[in-house]
Structure formats: C-alpha cells, structure tokens
Amino acid sequence: MSSVKFKVIHQVFGRIRLEIPILKNNADYRWLLEKLVKSLEVVKEVRISPFARSLVVEYDRQGISEADLQAKLERAINVANHPVLALQLQPFLSYEAIDLSEYEAIQLTEIEEWLDKQKPFGLKEVIGYIFRFLKKAVNFIVPAWIFKKIGAACEATTKNWQHDWQKIKHNASVEDYKMLRQSKLEKCDRLAEQIINHSRKEAFAIGSFAALTELGNVIVGEVGDTIETMTYALKTIHRIGLCYGYAPEDSQEKAYVWGIFNMATAQTKQEWEEARKALQSLSLNLEKIKLEEGTVEDLKQQKSHQEIIDSGIKGAIYTLTKRTTFQVIPLYSFVVDTWGDVKLIEEIAKAAKRHYQLRWLLDNQKVNFAPLAS
C-alpha cells in the first residue's frame, strides 16, 4: 500500500490541521477519510476543505497524546486510499441505488434499516460478555470428539445442498437455481418467505425436543440437539440462498454461509463487527468488484476461505453448546431449550434473506458500494 503525502500545518490546544494534496480531486477519498477520522473516540469535530486541501480535527486533549493522535491520523490517511483495508477500521459499507424498481427500492430501505438494528445491545450484549469469559469452561466440559462430530455433520449438510434445491425447484419453476439471479426480486422473496415460514414450524419441533432432555444426559443430549440445530440452521441458509440463485458450491460460498451464521448469532458488538467485516470482504470478492490493481489479491491473502469456515464452525459450536454450562440452572435451561432454537433459526432465516437480497441487488447492478463508486 503506497503512502499518501501529507504534512502537519499546526497543532495546538486540541486542534490539528493537516495539508493532504489528494483531498483536492478525490471525493471518494474525502468521504472515507472523514468516516475513519470521526470513528476515533477522542475526535470531537472533523472539517475537510478540498480547495485548501486541508483536514482540521478537533479532539479531546485529555484522552490522547499529540504523538498518538498523529499516528492514528496517519494510519487513517493511508487506509482511506485503500478501500479493502479500510474495512479493518470501518465495519460498514454504504450502498447507493443505480436502477431500482419501486419494490426493489423499498427492499433496499428495509435492508439498511435491518442492518442498523442488528448490532447486539442491552441484555443480549451483557449475556454475551458473560459467556465470553465462560468459553474456556465450555471447552473443558465438551470433549474434543464432540466438536469434531458436529463439524463433520455441518460439512455433510453443506455438501447435500442439491437435495434442498430439489424441494424448492417445483415452486421456483426453473430447472437451474442460477436462473433465479435473472428473475424478479419479488419472486425470489416469495420463495424465501415460504422457506422462512416452514423453518419456524420445524424449529419449534427442534426446540421442544431439546426441552425434554434429561439433566442426567447433559452431554449426550447436547450433542444430538446441537448437531440437529446447527445442521438445520445451515440448511435454512442454503435454502434461502437458493431462492436468490446462490448455492454453497465452493469455498467462497461456504464461507459466505458461515458469515451469515456468525452475524446472526453474534453476542457482542465486537463479534458482530468482526463478522460484518468478514462478510463484506467476501461480498467484495464474490461480486468481483474492481477496486484497484492488486486489491482482490490482497483481500484473498487477508484470510483464506477455509480459515473463515473453520473459525465459523468453532464459533457456532460455542454459541450452540454454551447452554451446557448452565444446564444445572432449571429456569435458564428450560427457557433456552424451549425457545432458544426457535429464535435462533428465525434470526438466521431473516439474516439470510436480507444478505441474499443485497447480493442479488449487487449482482444485478441495481445498487453499488457507495464509497467505491467511480
């Protein structure tokens, strides 16, 4: 990554002014640099002047030293010139409409509103941080062979996605699932809603069975329930993806499925932001958007697809087996086992629909990544 030329003009009393020549003629760079600098906790105000080629930052002098602030600004100045690396600092990419029908415009608005509401907060995040500290305890309680067995079951389910397509094909009225990418979004959404409604009913059966697990069979019961829940969650994502013309045929698509799972099951803001950045990185690659020479290759090197899949499986196993730690608490056990699977599948189904809707819109050039627009 090449360095961006800049120099500090002056810095005094919580205010710093820098001259950055690239600001004059690069609107995309200005937009992203402002977002990155504003994301710094100590920053109070940011002003960019294209004509003067200057960046003025007002900040909390008590919260950071001048040297540390300059180091952070230097990083932001350079990262803003490399959109893929900018994902390391900015977990969100915005979307802009290109050629939307009225229905598609409504869906894009709903997708953006849904994304804004998904970051964990309140009680959910508090519980997530509690379980974060208990993760080691779960690893001790659940034997290694169980983790391997669950991982193998997930892999087998993914390989069997063609079976899911056979169940959808009749209602889809097409022979090849890829043809749905050229279909109307309304049709894809109708198919997805059928899958979501069916998933709710089956998820209730899974949750009800888990609630009947005897305390004396904690480990054995959890193995069966976790495998069933996780594999059904993956089937749900596969089926909804097929409704929009996408299938887990290769490592990139498999990683995308696990990215959806990880976002839907994130318990803390940190987990959610990491999952969001990973999913956006995959989207950039899957849609083959040309950012600049070498960018796509840089993205591939950041994290291999298999690493994303492996980390996804480990995180998912933890999410679904964490109930084992508190199985001795009757009320907690009853609530989680009875309603946990239903809510989990429902959240995953909604997440899958929204993410595949967005991919469909991107793939059909209905929308674009706003900061990457030429």
Side-chain angles (χ1 to χ4, degrees):
M1 179 177 64
S2 58
S3 297
V4 175
K5 293 182 179 180
F6 75 95
K7 64 180 178 179
V8 177
I9 304 301
H10 69 79
Q11 183 172 8
V12 61
F13 301 124
R15 184 175 183 273
I16 184 171
R17 180 170 179 258
L18 303 95
E19 181 181 353
I20 311 173
I22 194 175
L23 289 173
K24 184 176 182 179
N25 299 313
N26 194 324
D28 289 340
Y29 179 84
R30 293 196 297 269
W31 184 93
L32 189 49
L33 178 62
E34 182 179 5
K35 296 292 183 183
L36 294 176
V37 175
K38 282 185 175 180
S39 71
L40 300 176
E41 292 183 2
V42 296
V43 171
K44 296 179 179 179
E45 186 177 350
V46 177
R47 296 192 301 277
I48 292 178
S49 171
F51 179 76
R53 303 182 298 180
S54 69
L55 167 69
V56 178
V57 179
E58 295 185 11
Y59 63 97
D60 179 10
R61 294 176 62 197
Q62 305 301 319
I64 192 171
S65 68
E66 291 184 357
D68 287 343
L69 176 69
Q70 286 192 30
K72 289 181 180 293
L73 290 177
E74 181 176 0
R75 184 185 180 204
I77 288 168
N78 288 316
V79 170
N81 200 39
H82 199 303
V84 169
L85 293 183
L87 290 173
Q88 300 302 316
L89 291 180
Q90 179 189 339
F92 297 103
L93 284 176
S94 299
Y95 305 95
E96 64 178 2
I98 297 177
D99 182 22
L100 297 176
S101 67
E102 182 178 353
Y103 178 84
E104 291 163 352
I106 292 172
Q107 294 308 305
L108 179 61
T109 299
E110 292 183 357
I111 290 169
E112 292 178 326
E113 291 176 350
W114 177 83
L115 284 171
D116 288 340
K117 296 177 181 178
Q118 293 311 297
K119 185 178 291 189
F121 67 95
L123 181 60
K124 180 177 180 181
E125 186 177 17
V126 172
I127 293 174
Y129 278 111
I130 292 174
F131 279 120
R132 185 178 172 187
F133 291 107
L134 293 171
K135 187 171 183 179
K136 292 184 179 180
V138 173
N139 289 335
F140 280 117
I141 292 173
V142 181
W145 67 267
I146 292 180
F147 284 79
K148 291 181 180 179
K149 185 173 183 179
I150 295 173
C154 291
E155 181 63 23
T157 298
T158 300
K159 289 180 179 179
N160 199 34
W161 65 266
Q162 294 93 340
H163 180 69
D164 295 323
W165 170 241
Q166 293 304 316
K167 293 183 177 181
I168 297 171
K169 186 163 66 172
H170 176 71
N171 290 333
S173 302
V174 295
E175 284 298 317
D176 187 345
Y177 73 91
K178 292 180 181 179
M179 295 175 67
L180 289 170
R181 296 187 199 180
Q182 283 74 50
S183 183
K184 289 185 176 294
L185 184 60
E186 294 96 315
K187 177 179 180 178
C188 297
D189 285 350
R190 284 196 298 270
L191 290 171
E193 282 300 322
Q194 292 174 10
I195 299 299
I196 292 173
N197 292 332
H198 182 71
S199 297
R200 288 193 186 102
K201 297 176 183 178
E202 290 197 357
F204 183 79
I206 294 173
S208 299
F209 175 79
L212 298 176
T213 301
E214 296 290 341
L215 288 178
N217 295 321
V218 171
I219 296 298
V220 176
E222 283 300 320
V223 175
D225 178 50
T226 300
I227 290 177
E228 186 174 8
T229 302
M230 192 180 299
T231 54
Y232 189 71
L234 291 178
K235 284 182 182 179
T236 300
I237 299 174
H238 298 161
R239 290 170 180 173
I240 292 175
L242 287 165
C243 294
Y244 295 89
Y246 304 99
E249 289 187 291
D250 54 41
S251 61
Q252 286 191 89
E253 292 290 352
K254 290 177 184 178
Y256 192 84
V257 169
W258 278 109
I260 292 174
F261 187 102
N262 289 339
M263 277 199 67
T265 58
Q267 298 295 304
T268 67
K269 290 179 181 178
Q270 181 180 352
E271 291 174 354
W272 187 87
E273 288 178 355
E274 288 176 355
R276 175 66 174 152
K277 285 189 286 187
L279 201 56
Q280 283 187 156
S281 295
L282 282 167
S283 294
L284 290 171
N285 220 0
L286 285 164
E287 303 306 328
K288 297 180 176 60
I289 295 175
K290 178 132 180 97
L291 306 178
E292 57 181 82
E293 186 177 356
T295 295
V296 173
E297 287 303 316
D298 289 342
L299 177 59
K300 291 179 180 178
Q301 293 172 6
Q302 282 184 16
K303 198 170 189 181
S304 72
H305 304 135
Q306 191 57 48
E307 284 178 329
I308 294 175
I309 296 170
D310 291 343
S311 63
I313 291 176
K314 290 178 181 177
I317 291 172
Y318 164 59
T319 298
L320 293 173
T321 57
K322 68 185 181 183
R323 72 184 71 171
T324 303
T325 306
F326 285 113
Q327 193 77 9
V328 295
I329 305 177
L331 178 59
Y332 178 88
S333 175
F334 177 79
V335 171
V336 171
D337 286 345
T338 304
W339 303 109
D341 291 336
V342 178
K343 185 172 178 59
L344 174 69
I345 297 300
E346 188 173 62
E347 289 180 351
I348 286 173
K350 290 179 180 178
K353 176 185 175 182
R354 291 308 184 189
H355 285 296
Y356 280 114
Q357 276 184 315
L358 188 54
R359 276 196 64 187
W360 187 97
L361 290 169
L362 287 164
D363 202 37
N364 282 278
Q365 298 183 348
K366 299 286 187 174
V367 299
N368 196 5
F369 289 106
L372 305 182
S374 57

